[in-house]
Amino acid sequence: MQQVYFDNAATTQLRKDVISVMADVLYNNYGNASSSYGLGRLSKSLIENSRKVIAKLLNVSAGEIIFTSGGTEADNLVLRSAVKDLGVKHIITSKIEHHAVLHTITDLKNEYGVKVSFLNLDPHGNISLNELEQLLNSSTKTLVSLMLVNNEIGNILDIKTVADLCQKYSALFHSDAVQAIGHYKLDLQDIKVDFLAASAHKFHGPKGVGFAFIRKNAAIKPTIIGGEQERGLRAGTESVHNIAGLEKAMVLAYDNLEEEQNYIKILKSYFISELKSKIPDVSFNGLSEDMDNSTYTLINVRLPIAADKSAMFLFQLDLKGIACSRGSACQSGSSQKSHVLTEILNNDDLEKPSIRFSFSKFNTKEEVDYVISVLKDYIPV
């Protein structure tokens, strides 16, 4: 049976060069980075070099990169500290953010009584910049948290405009950039975001490591208490091999960005044209069909299948060797509907199966052809 992996928004295959770097560090650089002897100092040196390399790719200073276990921890660190330590009383966000943001904000509302405003969305899942500016026009200490690339429907936020608005009204701005880092160039000297979250396994790096960008002088305090690692902002012995793998994956992502972007864009465009040709009643959720205003790495497809036949649809695709998702990886095993699609689709459309196909450099047109042929078998004629 053919095996096709089209769930790269959930996680990605490691590059061989990343595995090689990690294996070398695991074998040769096993010292604790907090130790003062040679092996420890070598591990510390590797970590600090990785920090400098990553910072340079984002055009920030090394001290503004804090290594975490991934995007979820980075989101928690920023959001919780913003309320607890920076005096934020009002959070502006949307209902289609990742649950790492939404659930944390709910906890903060319950724990600290922080006010939460959810921006209205148009039928494609876009926020209104005018509404955002109206909400920002307040003397209340405010944090805006909006993701750069939506992990389910692929919409791209106008991050520079949002950052400029936040700066205009003296609000803090946090962006979950997990689906963007490694796929888009970001100059954080030009884009005045205060905080940003990233995760290595979204761009062919290892799981269990990511980072928070924290703008200098933000006065963030740790949420994990213990040692003084990560400039006192994240206690716990550093995972040196994972940090080295993160660095290598990010360097390779940006070294090969243009070539791989072009390849994946062609693949996505081909997938869309074949879907429209072979399944005429297919629909696309959010802006995922729009090659200019959605990420090139995914599409979210709504198929013309009756509700009574859609319940086991993903299972049937799995039996055919096709790995994809009906939403974010965090809820792919859940029976609940996608919280993102629930916000932008009507009840009838929600009953139809919506599938997220997400791509990488390792995918091929032949795999697209196979998936299209399998989908056609389930579409009524």
Side-chain angles (χ1 to χ4, degrees):
M1 180 177 64
Q2 187 167 350
Q3 295 289 330
V4 176
Y5 186 75
F6 273 149
D7 203 18
N8 290 278
T11 196
T12 54
Q13 177 182 341
L14 267 73
R15 298 179 191 261
K16 289 182 179 179
D17 288 349
V18 173
I19 296 173
S20 296
V21 166
M22 292 175 66
D24 181 69
V25 172
L26 276 168
Y27 189 78
N28 293 305
N29 305 115
Y30 49 84
N32 188 319
S34 297
S35 300
S36 59
Y37 45 75
L39 279 174
R41 293 197 306 273
L42 180 56
S43 292
K44 183 69 172 177
S45 176
L46 288 173
I47 292 170
E48 294 311 316
N49 183 70
S50 293
R51 199 187 312 277
K52 290 175 184 177
V53 169
I54 292 165
K56 186 176 181 181
L57 290 170
L58 298 174
N59 195 20
V60 298
S61 66
E64 295 173 310
I65 301 297
I66 303 299
F67 293 118
T68 65
S69 64
T72 295
E73 185 189 335
D75 287 331
N76 272 260
L77 170 61
V78 168
L79 293 169
R80 293 195 65 82
S81 186
V83 171
K84 184 167 63 74
D85 306 315
L86 304 185
V88 165
K89 304 294 184 184
H90 182 203
I91 298 176
I92 302 172
T93 187
S94 82
K95 290 185 178 180
I96 61 172
E97 301 301 303
H98 193 279
H99 278 147
V101 168
L102 289 178
H103 288 172
T104 303
I105 289 174
T106 298
D107 277 356
L108 291 168
K109 180 181 179 181
N110 294 336
E111 189 174 351
Y112 294 97
V114 62
K115 178 184 176 183
V116 179
S117 296
F118 292 103
L119 294 165
N120 291 313
L121 302 168
D122 70 16
H124 297 294
N126 295 314
I127 65 162
S128 165
L129 292 172
N130 288 333
E131 183 190 13
L132 174 61
E133 183 163 15
Q134 290 172 8
L135 288 169
L136 285 170
N137 191 12
S138 165
S139 59
T140 304
K141 182 74 172 182
T142 300
L143 170 80
V144 174
S145 183
L146 294 169
M147 67 200 317
L148 178 45
V149 173
N150 187 276
N151 57 307
E152 292 198 33
I153 55 177
N155 293 21
I156 300 174
L157 179 73
D158 184 351
I159 189 172
K160 188 173 189 322
T161 298
V162 173
D164 290 345
L165 280 173
C166 289
Q167 193 170 47
K168 176 181 177 181
Y169 291 98
S170 301
L172 297 169
F173 179 30
H174 163 256
S175 185
D176 182 321
V178 165
Q179 293 290 341
I181 294 291
H183 302 290
Y184 292 94
K185 288 183 177 179
L186 295 176
D187 182 344
L188 298 187
Q189 291 305 313
D190 180 49
I191 302 168
K192 298 299 184 180
V193 61
D194 296 287
F195 313 108
L196 181 146
S199 189
H201 75 104
K202 303 296 187 179
F203 49 89
H204 307 292
K207 298 172 182 64
V209 66
F211 63 86
F213 163 73
I214 299 173
R215 183 76 67 181
K216 194 176 296 182
N217 301 322
I220 285 282
K221 294 183 180 179
T223 54
I224 297 176
I225 308 300
E228 292 299 314
Q229 294 91 347
E230 290 305 298
R231 283 132 168 90
L233 290 180
R234 202 272 184 178
T237 302
E238 300 94 337
S239 183
V240 184
H241 67 289
N242 272 330
I243 291 170
L246 162 60
E247 176 209 335
K248 185 66 174 180
M250 197 161 164
V251 168
L252 289 173
Y254 286 113
D255 281 351
N256 298 285
L257 186 61
E258 184 176 354
E259 177 186 350
E260 293 178 1
Q261 265 188 350
N262 290 337
Y263 176 78
I264 299 170
K265 283 179 180 178
I266 291 169
L267 201 67
K268 173 176 174 174
S269 181
Y270 179 68
F271 204 149
I272 291 171
S273 65
E274 286 297 291
L275 280 167
K276 290 179 176 179
S277 172
K278 304 298 193 304
I279 308 173
D281 292 329
V282 70
S283 302
F284 297 87
N285 296 317
L287 295 176
S288 64
E289 179 190 4
D290 188 329
M291 295 297 295
D292 295 321
N293 295 303
S294 75
T295 180
Y296 61 96
T297 57
L298 70 84
I299 53 174
N300 195 305
V301 181
R302 190 167 70 254
L303 297 166
I305 297 176
D308 60 340
K309 295 182 179 179
S310 68
M312 298 294 289
F313 188 68
L314 267 184
F315 178 70
Q316 297 297 327
L317 293 182
D318 184 37
L319 290 177
K320 296 288 187 178
I322 299 170
C324 54
S325 175
R326 67 175 184 82
S328 69
C330 308
Q331 58 187 38
S332 59
S334 169
S335 60
Q336 296 181 355
K337 290 183 173 67
S338 158
H339 74 285
V340 173
L341 298 184
T342 298
E343 291 299 321
I344 63 173
L345 298 182
N346 61 43
N347 289 333
D348 288 340
D349 285 339
L350 279 172
E351 293 302 319
K352 298 172 185 175
S354 286
I355 308 296
R356 182 187 68 183
F357 297 99
S358 46
F359 321 113
S360 82
K361 66 183 288 289
F362 296 108
N363 292 124
T364 65
K365 280 188 174 181
E366 289 73 23
E367 291 176 332
V368 172
D369 292 336
Y370 174 68
V371 171
I372 296 292
S373 68
V374 171
L375 292 177
K376 281 177 57 184
D377 290 341
Y378 292 95
I379 307 300
V381 294

